[in-house]
Amino acid sequence: MMPLAQMAEAVLRTADAREKTALSRRYAALWQAARDAGERPEIGTAAPPLQPARPAEPALLDPREVPRRRPGTPEGRIAILHAVAHIELNAVDLHWDIIARFTDVPMPPGFYDDWVRAADEESKHFNLIADCLEAMGSRYGALAAHAGMWRAAEDTAEDLIGRLAVVPMVLEARGLDVTPGMIDIFRRAKDDPAAAQAVAAMEVIYAEEVHHVAYGSKWFHFLCGRHEMDPKDAFHGLVRRYFHGQLKPPFNEEKRAEAGLPPDFYWPLTE
């Protein structure tokens, strides 16, 4: 088996979305099988690209230029799913990138176990949503998408603890806030035969994203302990440094708490 960091780089350099997620899941299965056998595979080193390879479509636009559609229409529901698919594909790369980019920071094997598992689950999530789009007569790439999804990765390319603060503990935590509302939109679309498939897919995503936020919180606190930093103060400073804008309520406080994010971490960042 090739070193894990090289596997991560290979995923990052794969452009086609379905090929990327297939490779991601294959490498995750290899890693998990080795770990289940009691092995401690080599992490190695890599030279990940600053930006991952991307398919020719979708067109990437400034967030203000992405067309808005009414969620109560079939076109609006397709737009929601397309946005979710785009987020999930970026998440695949974000989780492999954290493996490939920070091999100079000594971390326990569990760190790699968690992010390989997260990358595998994000790959599954992308495929579930891409399948829903196809069931609704569309596909990933058919609509324009948000161009700023990778900005947090670029901003934190040399700061592992900053990456943990901003990506899982801010961006993925936001998914816990908004996913229940998206599920309700599809539950109400009783005239759409593909809506039940979308509900099932997003319920899987909602349950598993809690783990990804929790991984971020766990390893953030681990590094704060290593460097004798107060986690709450460090989180506030790093989010203000790397996250562009304020956090916006309402927050899903129950799921955030389940993931290890208490309210005094995020409420002060709304001001």
Side-chain angles (χ1 to χ4, degrees):
M1 189 170 79
M2 77 169 71
L4 181 64
Q6 292 179 27
M7 291 194 231
E9 182 181 343
V11 174
L12 292 165
R13 294 189 182 279
T14 300
D16 181 84
R18 292 284 196 176
E19 290 177 10
K20 182 188 291 287
T21 54
L23 189 63
S24 171
R25 303 213 72 185
R26 185 159 70 250
Y27 285 156
L30 286 172
W31 172 266
Q32 190 59 54
R35 296 290 286 143
D36 289 346
E39 299 174 17
R40 188 166 175 170
E42 181 184 358
I43 304 302
T45 60
L50 187 58
Q51 294 187 335
R54 282 279 178 263
E57 296 178 312
L60 299 180
L61 304 179
D62 183 279
R64 293 166 294 186
E65 297 174 356
V66 176
R68 295 183 181 274
R69 294 172 173 83
R70 292 175 56 195
T73 64
E75 294 79 13
R77 290 191 291 273
I78 286 172
I80 290 171
L81 290 178
H82 195 277
V84 173
H86 188 61
I87 290 167
E88 299 298 331
L89 189 64
N90 275 270
V92 174
D93 284 321
L94 284 166
H95 296 327
W96 284 113
D97 189 82
I98 203 171
I99 291 169
R101 192 166 301 281
F102 299 104
T103 55
D104 59 318
V105 181
M107 296 297 287
F111 174 84
Y112 299 101
D113 292 337
D114 285 348
W115 296 116
V116 169
R117 186 178 301 112
D120 185 43
E121 290 176 348
E122 302 289 15
S123 302
K124 176 178 67 178
H125 299 169
F126 172 83
N127 288 323
L128 286 171
I129 299 298
D131 290 346
C132 291
L133 283 169
E134 291 169 13
M136 296 178 75
S138 188
R139 60 179 174 80
Y140 177 65
L143 303 177
H146 192 310
M149 288 292 298
W150 197 251
R151 182 174 182 179
E154 293 179 330
D155 290 346
T156 59
E158 297 182 0
D159 188 347
L160 174 56
I161 195 167
R163 174 72 62 90
L164 291 166
V166 174
V167 173
M169 297 175 72
V170 171
L171 298 181
E172 291 200 271
R174 183 61 179 158
L176 302 180
D177 303 333
V178 302
T179 301
M182 292 191 291
I183 292 172
D184 286 344
I185 287 170
F186 284 88
R187 280 202 179 117
R188 291 196 298 268
K190 300 186 184 301
D191 58 336
D192 187 339
Q197 181 180 351
V199 169
M202 285 194 284
E203 285 178 338
V204 170
I205 292 170
Y206 184 48
E208 293 181 346
E209 290 294 345
V210 175
H211 308 155
H212 306 170
V213 179
Y215 298 157
S217 178
K218 175 172 70 173
W219 295 111
F220 177 82
H221 281 79
F222 174 88
L223 288 173
C224 285
R226 174 182 284 177
H227 298 292
E228 299 183 346
M229 299 161 60
D230 178 271
K232 183 171 65 176
D233 291 345
F235 181 71
H236 292 165
L238 289 163
V239 173
R240 290 189 175 111
R241 176 179 177 184
Y242 291 123
F243 184 71
H244 305 278
Q246 296 175 328
L247 304 193
K248 296 179 181 178
F251 299 117
N252 187 338
E253 296 196 4
E254 179 180 348
K255 287 297 181 183
R256 283 171 172 256
E258 186 180 334
L261 279 182
D264 59 353
F265 267 58
Y266 50 86
W267 271 108
L269 296 169
T270 63
E271 302 169 355

PDB file of all heavy atoms in Angstrom, residues 17 44 99 104 143 202 219 251 267:
ATOM      1  N   ALA A  17     -15.437  14.189 -10.844  1.00  0.00           N
ATOM      2  CA  ALA A  17     -16.043  14.054  -9.517  1.00  0.00           C
ATOM      3  C   ALA A  17     -16.307  12.597  -9.148  1.00  0.00           C
ATOM      4  O   ALA A  17     -16.018  12.162  -8.025  1.00  0.00           O
ATOM      5  CB  ALA A  17     -17.338  14.852  -9.457  1.00  0.00           C
ATOM      6  N   GLY A  44       3.960   8.963   5.387  1.00  0.00           N
ATOM      7  CA  GLY A  44       4.766   9.510   4.300  1.00  0.00           C
ATOM      8  C   GLY A  44       4.611  11.014   4.171  1.00  0.00           C
ATOM      9  O   GLY A  44       4.149  11.702   5.080  1.00  0.00           O
ATOM     10  N   ILE A  99      -4.811  15.680   5.473  1.00  0.00           N
ATOM     11  CA  ILE A  99      -3.883  14.548   5.610  1.00  0.00           C
ATOM     12  C   ILE A  99      -2.585  14.828   4.864  1.00  0.00           C
ATOM     13  O   ILE A  99      -1.494  14.602   5.377  1.00  0.00           O
ATOM     14  CB  ILE A  99      -4.556  13.263   5.095  1.00  0.00           C
ATOM     15  CG1 ILE A  99      -5.690  12.838   6.049  1.00  0.00           C
ATOM     16  CG2 ILE A  99      -3.538  12.135   4.921  1.00  0.00           C
ATOM     17  CD1 ILE A  99      -6.589  11.739   5.491  1.00  0.00           C
ATOM     18  N   ASP A 104       4.147  17.375   8.351  1.00  0.00           N
ATOM     19  CA  ASP A 104       5.268  17.850   9.176  1.00  0.00           C
ATOM     20  C   ASP A 104       4.870  18.000  10.639  1.00  0.00           C
ATOM     21  O   ASP A 104       5.741  18.153  11.511  1.00  0.00           O
ATOM     22  CB  ASP A 104       5.776  19.196   8.644  1.00  0.00           C
ATOM     23  CG  ASP A 104       4.693  20.271   8.640  1.00  0.00           C
ATOM     24  OD1 ASP A 104       3.544  19.950   8.258  1.00  0.00           O
ATOM     25  OD2 ASP A 104       4.986  21.421   9.003  1.00  0.00           O
ATOM     26  N   LEU A 143     -25.360  23.403 -13.124  1.00  0.00           N
ATOM     27  CA  LEU A 143     -25.590  24.764 -12.651  1.00  0.00           C
ATOM     28  C   LEU A 143     -24.265  25.389 -12.218  1.00  0.00           C
ATOM     29  O   LEU A 143     -23.288  24.685 -11.966  1.00  0.00           O
ATOM     30  CB  LEU A 143     -26.556  24.758 -11.457  1.00  0.00           C
ATOM     31  CG  LEU A 143     -27.931  24.122 -11.678  1.00  0.00           C
ATOM     32  CD1 LEU A 143     -28.729  24.147 -10.380  1.00  0.00           C
ATOM     33  CD2 LEU A 143     -28.692  24.817 -12.793  1.00  0.00           C
ATOM     34  N   MET A 202     -30.126  13.213   2.622  1.00  0.00           N
ATOM     35  CA  MET A 202     -29.738  14.299   3.523  1.00  0.00           C
ATOM     36  C   MET A 202     -29.820  13.882   4.990  1.00  0.00           C
ATOM     37  O   MET A 202     -29.090  14.424   5.827  1.00  0.00           O
ATOM     38  CB  MET A 202     -30.562  15.546   3.233  1.00  0.00           C
ATOM     39  CG  MET A 202     -30.081  16.233   1.953  1.00  0.00           C
ATOM     40  SD  MET A 202     -30.707  17.903   1.728  1.00  0.00           S
ATOM     41  CE  MET A 202     -32.368  17.530   1.220  1.00  0.00           C
ATOM     42  N   TRP A 219      -9.432  17.274  17.694  1.00  0.00           N
ATOM     43  CA  TRP A 219      -8.022  17.502  17.354  1.00  0.00           C
ATOM     44  C   TRP A 219      -7.615  18.956  17.570  1.00  0.00           C
ATOM     45  O   TRP A 219      -6.455  19.251  17.844  1.00  0.00           O
ATOM     46  CB  TRP A 219      -7.736  17.016  15.929  1.00  0.00           C
ATOM     47  CG  TRP A 219      -7.909  15.529  15.874  1.00  0.00           C
ATOM     48  CD1 TRP A 219      -8.885  14.821  15.222  1.00  0.00           C
ATOM     49  CD2 TRP A 219      -7.108  14.548  16.561  1.00  0.00           C
ATOM     50  NE1 TRP A 219      -8.742  13.479  15.452  1.00  0.00           N
ATOM     51  CE2 TRP A 219      -7.662  13.272  16.262  1.00  0.00           C
ATOM     52  CE3 TRP A 219      -5.987  14.621  17.386  1.00  0.00           C
ATOM     53  CZ2 TRP A 219      -7.108  12.096  16.776  1.00  0.00           C
ATOM     54  CZ3 TRP A 219      -5.452  13.447  17.896  1.00  0.00           C
ATOM     55  CH2 TRP A 219      -6.008  12.196  17.587  1.00  0.00           C
ATOM     56  N   PHE A 251     -28.466  28.879  15.419  1.00  0.00           N
ATOM     57  CA  PHE A 251     -27.552  27.763  15.533  1.00  0.00           C
ATOM     58  C   PHE A 251     -28.306  26.522  16.021  1.00  0.00           C
ATOM     59  O   PHE A 251     -29.230  26.632  16.828  1.00  0.00           O
ATOM     60  CB  PHE A 251     -26.441  28.085  16.535  1.00  0.00           C
ATOM     61  CG  PHE A 251     -25.599  29.268  16.146  1.00  0.00           C
ATOM     62  CD1 PHE A 251     -25.574  30.408  16.940  1.00  0.00           C
ATOM     63  CD2 PHE A 251     -24.819  29.242  14.999  1.00  0.00           C
ATOM     64  CE1 PHE A 251     -24.791  31.505  16.603  1.00  0.00           C
ATOM     65  CE2 PHE A 251     -24.037  30.342  14.646  1.00  0.00           C
ATOM     66  CZ  PHE A 251     -24.026  31.468  15.449  1.00  0.00           C
ATOM     67  N   TRP A 267     -21.184  31.884  19.882  1.00  0.00           N
ATOM     68  CA  TRP A 267     -22.029  33.072  20.015  1.00  0.00           C
ATOM     69  C   TRP A 267     -21.231  34.377  20.039  1.00  0.00           C
ATOM     70  O   TRP A 267     -21.638  35.362  19.409  1.00  0.00           O
ATOM     71  CB  TRP A 267     -22.927  32.962  21.250  1.00  0.00           C
ATOM     72  CG  TRP A 267     -24.232  32.295  20.957  1.00  0.00           C
ATOM     73  CD1 TRP A 267     -24.632  31.046  21.342  1.00  0.00           C
ATOM     74  CD2 TRP A 267     -25.328  32.836  20.214  1.00  0.00           C
ATOM     75  NE1 TRP A 267     -25.882  30.754  20.864  1.00  0.00           N
ATOM     76  CE2 TRP A 267     -26.342  31.843  20.169  1.00  0.00           C
ATOM     77  CE3 TRP A 267     -25.548  34.043  19.557  1.00  0.00           C
ATOM     78  CZ2 TRP A 267     -27.551  32.034  19.516  1.00  0.00           C
ATOM     79  CZ3 TRP A 267     -26.756  34.242  18.901  1.00  0.00           C
ATOM     80  CH2 TRP A 267     -27.742  33.253  18.887  1.00  0.00           C
TER      81      TRP A 267
END
